Amino acid sequence: MTDLKDDEPSILESCITAQPSTDFHSPVLSADDVGSDKQSTRGVTSFRCNISEFPNRNTATNDSQGPFNCVHQTKIPQEIMAVDSAILAINAGSSSVKFSLFSRDGKNLLVSADVKGLTSSLTTLNYTAFFTEDGSTIEEIEGQEVEVKDHEDAFKVFVGHLTSDDREDKKVLESGDKIEVTCHRIVHGGASPEPLVINDETYKRLDDLSDLAPLHNHPALLIVKACMKVLPKSKNVAYFDSSFHTTIPEHIFTYPVDPSLAKEKKIRKYGFHGLSYSFITKTVAKHLGKKVDDVNIVALHLGSGASACCIKGGKSLDTSMGLTPLEGLPGGTRSGTIDPSVPFHLLSNSSDMSSKAAKELHLSKAEQMLNKESGWKALCGTTDFGEVTKKAFADQPDEMCKIAFDLFVDRIIGYIGSYYVKLGGKVDALVFAGGIGEKGEKLRAAVGKYVECLGFQIDESKNGKAKGKETVEAISAEGGEGEGKKVLVVKTDEQGECARQLVENPPKFD
């Protein structure tokens, strides 16, 4: 591991988000309230992360060590020093937006925040700001209700709070003009393997791909447009989820349809969650003490959007998502893979344009139904898989929630089995990541029972303690037939991966 500077602490620990006190309560916060006295804050233990020291470190580490040289701190700073230049990384998901603000050299995490629940009745803001000198927390908001209607509103609430003049004693930036580069996680980049500097011309190219990822590209581009207005001095760079999967062989990414039409329409498997899988691959390699090129894993990114990835020699060999994120595993509002004729049986006018979707998305009624009205929402009436799990294991189980839980397990183990065979049984680790993967103890246990035959054995006690708070948590049982095959829980970091790539390989700006 890279040595720390002389004035830095020598004990390296993982990045663990402090837990809120049980009596904490927040009023509803709207964009107009940001920075006002309606806002509640408190101080807690925190950490500092050094993303610039992450690359090319392939030595083994303890489970408690994260890949970003994260250092716990409890000191209270005497004076807050705002930084002169920063990197903002934005991750627009289907139901949330995550924000990470780094110092421009990538050595310090300044702010970690998110707005969650964009598809539910309750939308909340979580916001933690760190003092750059010693990493101690200078402000934390946990679960504050906010009034937002879409991803663009979520961005404005975050920036409004970050730059509010009413918080001089807690500001890590003097103004939004200090954000030099904004990294945007964009789900669909087509076959483009490289990050893309966003201008008027490239923005249109990205917008043309929105039909292929309607839950992600369109919201992300709304944030890009808002960023250009709200942060006019910041340069915008797109980092694509599909880029990691450009190594998938042709016979795997090809669909058995008319080749000439497929070429014309660019119809093929692209794959997504690539930034997460890139982070997972490097993190697992470091944890196992292997070079990235020597790592074979089956990785599961399980959240409102869920996918599986077969990674051979540190590169994507196959993944469950396809032309769009709709293929593969079901999710909060997505059906996942089903018989293609199902929409025609459910909807007599399935090809008609949907009146529910935004006009610029051009979604058919079938696409609207499968992307936004299916999954756990259709089966259980909620997009929250934690709620589905709770009801499935209640004293009087909810029948549909139990079906949804078992269905998800069944689809997951199908991909694990397929990818295990594709890797010839030479699998270093089975990895759970994403919100459900990190926190879903019961789901991991249920999957584990099925994959014991492949040599993966989960320790019940370790599984119960793993809550996705550390960067890597090993939950595999020691000894037995599965010895050597690890089961890991990885706290993935797509924003951190964007920032790392920016620091390692800065794009050429005009």
Side-chain angles (χ1 to χ4, degrees):
M1 181 171 290
T2 307
D3 292 334
L4 295 174
K5 296 178 181 178
D6 294 339
D7 61 345
E8 291 180 321
S10 59
I11 300 175
L12 297 181
E13 299 179 315
S14 65
C15 302
I16 305 179
T17 304
Q19 294 300 297
S21 59
T22 56
D23 61 349
F24 180 73
H25 175 72
S26 301
V28 176
L29 182 70
S30 69
D32 294 333
D33 298 326
V34 172
S36 73
D37 57 7
K38 290 186 180 181
Q39 186 171 298
S40 300
T41 62
R42 58 190 172 85
V44 293
T45 301
S46 67
F47 56 86
R48 175 169 60 183
C49 296
N50 186 342
I51 65 167
S52 65
E53 294 183 350
F54 174 50
N56 303 319
R57 291 188 288 115
N58 294 315
T59 55
T61 65
N62 296 327
D63 290 346
S64 62
Q65 294 175 336
F68 289 130
N69 274 355
C70 300
V71 183
H72 281 278
Q73 300 288 340
T74 55
K75 298 177 183 178
I76 303 299
Q78 299 299 313
E79 182 180 359
I80 306 304
M81 300 290 290
V83 297
D84 292 330
S85 183
I87 300 168
L88 175 60
I90 303 176
N91 176 3
S94 55
S95 62
S96 67
V97 186
K98 299 176 184 178
F99 307 91
S100 294
L101 187 74
F102 299 92
S103 57
R104 182 60 182 87
D105 58 6
K107 290 185 177 180
N108 295 290
L109 176 64
L110 308 177
V111 173
S112 177
D114 61 61
V115 176
K116 294 182 177 179
L118 296 179
T119 59
S120 67
S121 58
L122 178 64
T123 307
T124 57
L125 169 70
N126 300 292
Y127 182 101
T128 307
F130 308 106
F131 182 55
T132 58
E133 291 300 314
D134 66 0
S136 56
T137 297
I138 59 177
E139 178 184 17
E140 178 155 337
I141 300 170
E142 187 77 27
Q144 185 141 34
E145 189 173 347
V146 291
E147 295 177 351
V148 299
K149 65 178 184 295
D150 55 26
H151 293 70
E152 184 177 358
D153 275 358
F155 168 73
K156 290 178 179 177
V157 164
F158 167 75
V159 173
H161 183 78
L162 177 71
T163 60
S164 172
D165 291 333
D166 296 334
R167 302 167 43 260
E168 287 297 333
D169 61 331
K170 298 180 179 70
K171 289 177 69 172
V172 295
L173 287 179
E174 291 180 3
S175 72
D177 290 344
K178 299 298 183 180
I179 299 175
E180 185 178 333
V181 183
T182 302
C183 304
H184 299 267
R185 175 207 170 204
I186 305 291
V187 168
H188 214 312
S192 176
E194 301 296 333
L196 187 68
V197 176
I198 303 175
N199 52 37
D200 291 341
E201 180 183 349
T202 56
Y203 182 93
K204 186 179 184 307
R205 284 167 50 192
L206 295 175
D207 196 32
D208 290 341
L209 292 168
S210 289
D211 286 351
L212 298 181
L215 292 183
H216 290 83
N217 267 36
H218 181 66
L221 291 176
L222 287 178
I223 292 178
V224 171
K225 185 176 290 186
C227 194
M228 290 175 170
K229 294 177 181 178
V230 178
L231 304 173
K233 293 187 178 181
S234 181
K235 301 177 179 69
N236 293 278
V237 185
Y239 288 84
F240 301 115
D241 258 343
S242 51
S243 296
F244 182 73
H245 302 294
T246 56
T247 55
I248 293 178
E250 186 173 6
H251 71 282
I252 295 178
F253 73 63
T254 298
Y255 290 119
V257 296
D258 185 322
S260 59
L261 280 177
K263 184 176 181 180
E264 177 188 347
K265 301 289 187 180
K266 297 180 173 57
I267 304 298
R268 49 159 289 179
K269 171 178 285 196
Y270 289 100
F272 308 98
H273 287 143
L275 290 165
S276 176
Y277 289 127
S278 178
F279 178 90
I280 289 168
T281 302
K282 294 179 179 68
T283 301
V284 171
K286 178 177 178 293
H287 175 79
L288 298 177
K290 287 191 168 191
K291 294 181 178 179
V292 171
D293 292 344
D294 295 334
V295 169
N296 293 347
I297 59 176
V298 176
L300 306 169
H301 180 110
L302 308 176
S304 290
S307 69
C309 188
C310 178
I311 298 170
K312 182 177 183 179
K315 297 179 175 60
S316 178
L317 176 66
D318 196 3
T319 189
S320 57
M321 289 179 170
L323 171 71
T324 76
L326 183 59
E327 185 178 356
L329 294 171
T333 63
R334 293 192 195 111
S335 67
T337 296
I338 60 172
D339 186 321
S341 67
V342 167
F344 299 102
H345 288 271
L346 294 177
L347 300 170
S348 60
N349 54 351
S350 59
S351 61
D352 290 352
M353 303 310 292
S354 171
S355 60
K356 295 181 182 179
K359 293 180 180 179
E360 58 270 28
L361 289 185
H362 309 296
L363 284 182
S364 68
K365 289 186 176 180
E367 290 171 307
Q368 172 75 16
M369 179 187 70
L370 298 179
N371 275 287
K372 298 190 176 185
E373 298 169 6
S374 298
W376 321 136
K377 180 181 178 181
L379 294 178
C380 307
T382 177
T383 60
D384 184 350
F385 194 76
E387 186 68 20
V388 172
T389 302
K390 182 179 179 180
K391 291 181 178 180
F393 286 86
D395 292 337
Q396 295 183 335
D398 181 286
E399 182 180 357
M400 288 310 301
C401 287
K402 187 65 170 65
I403 289 174
F405 183 91
D406 292 342
L407 180 155
F408 198 29
V409 171
D410 176 75
R411 303 302 191 268
I412 290 169
I413 62 174
Y415 283 107
I416 294 173
S418 171
Y419 294 165
Y420 186 89
V421 172
K422 288 193 176 191
L423 292 171
K426 297 177 181 179
V427 184
D428 296 309
L430 172 63
V431 181
F432 291 88
I436 297 172
E438 293 166 14
K439 300 174 184 177
E441 173 190 348
K442 285 184 169 59
L443 180 77
R444 295 193 301 259
V447 170
K449 290 180 181 179
Y450 284 100
V451 298
E452 283 183 358
C453 62
L454 302 179
F456 299 105
Q457 295 181 326
I458 294 179
D459 182 284
E460 183 177 348
S461 177
K462 292 179 182 178
N463 185 45
K465 295 176 182 177
K467 302 298 181 183
K469 295 177 183 177
E470 299 188 23
T471 305
V472 183
E473 295 173 276
I475 61 172
S476 40
E478 297 179 1
E481 295 181 2
E483 187 172 7
K485 290 182 178 177
K486 305 292 184 182
V487 183
L488 306 174
V489 178
V490 172
K491 185 177 183 180
T492 193
D493 185 0
E494 291 156 308
Q495 304 94 272
E497 181 65 16
C498 288
R500 184 193 66 79
Q501 291 186 23
L502 175 71
V503 171
E504 278 190 3
N505 300 298
K508 293 181 180 179
F509 297 106
D510 294 335

